[in-house]
Amino acid sequence: MSDTVRIGMLGCGTVGQGVLRILGETAGTVERATGHRLEVVRVLVRDLQASRPGVDPALLTADPEDILGDDTIDIIIEVMGGLDPTHEWLLRALGHGTPVVTANKQLLARHGPDLLAAAEEGGSDLRFEASVCAVIPVIKVLRESLLAAEIDSVTGIVNGTTNYILSEMRRSGMSYDDALAQAQDLGYAEADPADDVGGADAAAKMAILASIAFHTRVLIDDVPYVGIDELQSDDVDIAGELGFVMKLLGVARLVDGAVSVRVHPALVPGDHPLASVSGADNAVLLESTMVRQIMLVGPGAGGTETASAVVSDVLSILGSRPGSFLAGALADAGLPMAAEGSLESAFYLRLDVADQPGVLARISAVLGESGVSILTVLQRGEGESARLVMILHRSPEARVQEALGRLRDMRDVRAEPVLIAVVGSGEAPR
Ligand code: NAP
Ligand code: HSE
C-alpha cells in the first residue's frame, strides 16, 4: 500500500460518523505510528440529504459502484448493516482482493464462513472486532492471545441495549419502554431494536465468539435465544430480593465434547463479577483449565466506542500481510452441537398458585418425582392466591422441563410458570 491509504465507507450512521470523527482527530498520530495517511474518499448512504453534522457532503454518494467499482480504493469499511445487499457487496470486494472491516454481526453469524473463504481466495483480509462487544478486544484476545488455551466456556453480557434497560430498571425504577427509548437515543440499539430486546443481536455475537473459542463453525441458527422482551419486572424485583441480578446472558460451553451456545435471561449472584457490569457495558468471562478465568469488560455499544474498534481493525490491516488472520478460525475442530436438554442448570421458578392447604406439598411432590430438588422457597400471600418462588438445585434441564409440563397442568397453578436459569453460583449451569 502507498503512503496514502484510500478508504471507501459503506454507511454513515451512528458508527460511520464515529469512524470519520476518530480518523479526523487521530490522523497525525496514525501517520506517525504507521507511516500511512488514511483518507476516506467516498461514503455510501441512502439519503444524501439527511443531517450528518461534521460530514463533508462532497464525500457522499448513493451509488455503490463509486466504491465497489473503484480499483483505487485500498480498504472498505462496512458500517451499513443488513444482510442484503451487504453480503453480495462484501463477497465482491473480498474476491477482488480489497480488505474489509465490518461491524455487522448478523451478516457474520450467517455468512462468516463464505466471507472468510472469499478473503482467502482473493488474498484479502476480513476483520470484525467491532461486531462483538464494540471496543472490547475480545476477538483479538481469543484468536491471538488465547488461541491454544483450550477454552471451556464463554459467558457474556454481549448486548449493551438490554444491559442498559435492565440496569436502569433496577437502578432508577425506570420503565422498560422508557429505558429502551433512552438506549435508542444514545445510539446503542440496532436499527430494529427487536434484534436487541429479542436476543437475536446477542445470539449472533455468541455464534461468532463460540466459533473462535471452540474452533468450530457455529451459526446463529445453532443458537437458541430468548430476549428480555417477555420478562416481567416482578421477576427482576424478586430476584433482587433474593440476592440475584437479572442479566441477558450468552453462554457458550463445551459439554462432553459438543458445543452448546444459548442466549437467555439469567440470574447471577450479586457478588458474581458479571453482576456489577451495568449500563451499556459488556463483559465476557473466558474460562479454561489452563488459564482459569479472564474477564474482559468495557463499553459494548455506542457510535464512538464501536468506531474505535473499526479504526483499530483498519490499523491492524496496515500492519499485517495479506490473507485473513481469522481464516480457519471457524471450522478447525468441527465439534458437534450439544443436544437440547442434555445440559444441567439451576433455576429460578415462579408459580402463581391457589393459597390453599396442601398446594406447596403437591408442587414439591411433582418436582421430587421428576428428580428436581429445591434449594430455597419464598412464599407471599396475595388474597386468594400465593406467589411461590423457588431456587432449584442444579438438575438436568430435561427433568426440569418435564416437571414444568406437569406443573402447568395442575389446577393449583393459576398462571404460566416463569423459569429462569441461574448462572455463576455453585448452582451454575455446566
Ligand atoms: P445506522 O445508524 O442505522 O446507520 C446505517 C448507515 O448505513 C446509514 O448511513 C444508512 O444510510 C446506510 N445504509 C443502510 N443501508 C444502506 C443501503 N442499502 N445502501 C446504502 N446505504 C445504506 O446504523 P449503526 O448503528 O451505525 O450500525 C451500523 C452497523 O454497525 C450495523 O451492522 C450494526 O449492527 C453495527 N454495530 C452498531 C453498534 C452501535 O452501537 N450502534 C455497535 C456495534 C456494531 P442513511 O444514512 O442514508 O440512512
Ligand atoms: N445494538 C448493539 C448492542 C450494539 O446494544 O449491544 C453493539 O453491537
Side-chain angles (χ1 to χ4, degrees):
M1 264 174 218
S2 69
D3 291 352
T4 298
V5 176
R6 291 168 61 80
I7 296 174
M9 206 162 83
L10 306 174
C12 191
T14 309
V15 179
Q17 290 176 39
V19 170
L20 290 177
R21 203 166 47 245
I22 292 177
L23 287 178
E25 287 167 3
T26 61
T29 313
V30 168
E31 192 167 355
R32 276 193 301 281
T34 66
H36 296 287
R37 205 166 63 82
L38 306 189
E39 187 185 350
V40 177
V41 294
R42 220 70 179 129
V43 178
L44 180 76
V45 293
R46 284 172 299 205
D47 176 4
L48 291 168
Q49 309 308 326
S51 159
R52 297 180 188 88
V55 177
D56 177 0
L59 290 177
L60 302 178
T61 177
D63 182 358
E65 282 309 308
D66 285 345
I67 294 173
L68 298 170
D70 182 345
D71 288 342
T72 69
I73 284 181
D74 298 305
I75 295 178
I76 288 180
I77 293 175
E78 186 274 301
V79 281
M80 59 182 257
L83 302 176
D84 187 23
T86 326
H87 180 211
E88 186 196 319
W89 290 355
L90 296 198
L91 282 177
R92 180 175 160 193
L94 291 165
H96 277 108
T98 310
V100 170
V101 173
T102 178
N104 192 334
K105 54 260 171 170
Q106 292 298 338
L107 182 66
L108 289 160
R110 288 173 173 80
H111 300 296
D114 63 299
L115 289 166
L116 286 167
E120 280 297 283
E121 277 165 32
S124 51
D125 203 342
L126 176 66
R127 303 257 172 171
F128 44 88
E129 186 65 62
S131 66
V132 181
C133 299
V135 70
I136 307 172
V138 59
I139 291 176
K140 282 196 178 83
V141 166
L142 273 176
R143 186 58 191 148
E144 297 179 14
S145 317
L146 299 179
L147 177 65
E150 304 287 358
I151 298 291
D152 297 319
S153 70
V154 180
T155 308
I157 296 169
V158 295
N159 181 269
T161 301
T162 47
N163 204 46
Y164 183 84
I165 294 172
L166 292 172
S167 302
E168 283 304 315
M169 285 169 72
R170 183 160 177 262
R171 189 187 66 81
S172 64
M174 195 182 283
S175 75
Y176 174 93
D177 288 336
D178 286 350
L180 172 57
Q182 274 203 6
Q184 289 179 278
D185 285 349
L186 291 164
Y188 302 148
E190 294 301 299
D192 180 358
D195 272 6
D196 295 294
V197 296
D201 179 85
K205 293 166 177 169
M206 289 307 297
I208 296 168
L209 289 183
S211 297
I212 299 170
F214 305 133
H215 314 297
T216 287
R217 179 178 303 193
V218 181
L219 301 176
I220 191 169
D221 287 346
D222 299 316
V223 184
Y225 60 87
V226 178
I228 65 163
D229 43 353
E230 303 283 318
L231 211 55
Q232 293 174 34
S233 57
D234 275 4
D235 293 310
V236 178
D237 296 342
I238 300 169
E241 284 173 38
L242 290 169
F244 293 96
V245 181
M246 185 79 74
K247 293 290 180 192
L248 182 69
L249 283 195
V251 183
R253 52 190 187 268
L254 287 180
V255 187
D256 300 328
V259 175
S260 163
V261 191
R262 297 163 167 207
V263 169
H264 51 74
L267 302 187
V268 292
D271 59 359
H272 188 276
L274 289 172
S276 58
V277 177
S278 61
D281 278 3
N282 282 187
V284 181
L285 185 64
L286 306 170
E287 292 177 284
S288 104
T289 313
M290 212 180 281
V291 301
R292 291 183 284 140
Q293 287 193 334
I294 292 177
M295 189 158 116
L296 301 167
V297 61
T304 306
E305 295 83 347
T306 308
S308 151
V310 169
V311 170
S312 142
D313 269 351
V314 170
L315 299 181
S316 297
I317 286 173
L318 297 181
S320 71
R321 61 184 167 73
S324 170
F325 87 127
L326 286 164
L330 299 185
D332 285 348
L335 300 177
M337 299 302 295
E340 276 293 294
S342 65
L343 306 173
E344 292 191 354
S345 180
F347 283 100
Y348 162 105
L349 173 66
R350 171 163 66 73
L351 299 165
D352 291 339
V353 296
D355 195 2
Q356 285 163 3
V359 172
L360 181 55
R362 284 193 285 280
I363 287 170
S364 305
V366 167
L367 290 166
E369 283 157 22
S370 300
V372 176
S373 137
I374 301 166
L375 175 70
T376 316
V377 180
L378 179 83
Q379 177 170 350
R380 275 208 203 127
E382 289 181 356
E384 298 279 285
S385 301
R387 179 158 277 193
L388 266 183
V389 175
M390 300 178 174
I391 302 294
L392 307 177
H393 275 294
R394 187 162 59 205
S395 321
E397 287 188 18
R399 277 197 223 157
V400 179
Q401 289 297 342
E402 180 205 301
L404 193 68
R406 290 179 59 197
L407 291 172
R408 236 183 232 125
D409 292 342
M410 285 175 70
R411 262 196 294 150
D412 298 320
V413 175
R414 294 189 161 168
E416 176 63 19
V418 173
L419 185 72
I420 299 172
V422 174
V423 169
S425 66
E427 295 301 322
R430 58 168 196 216

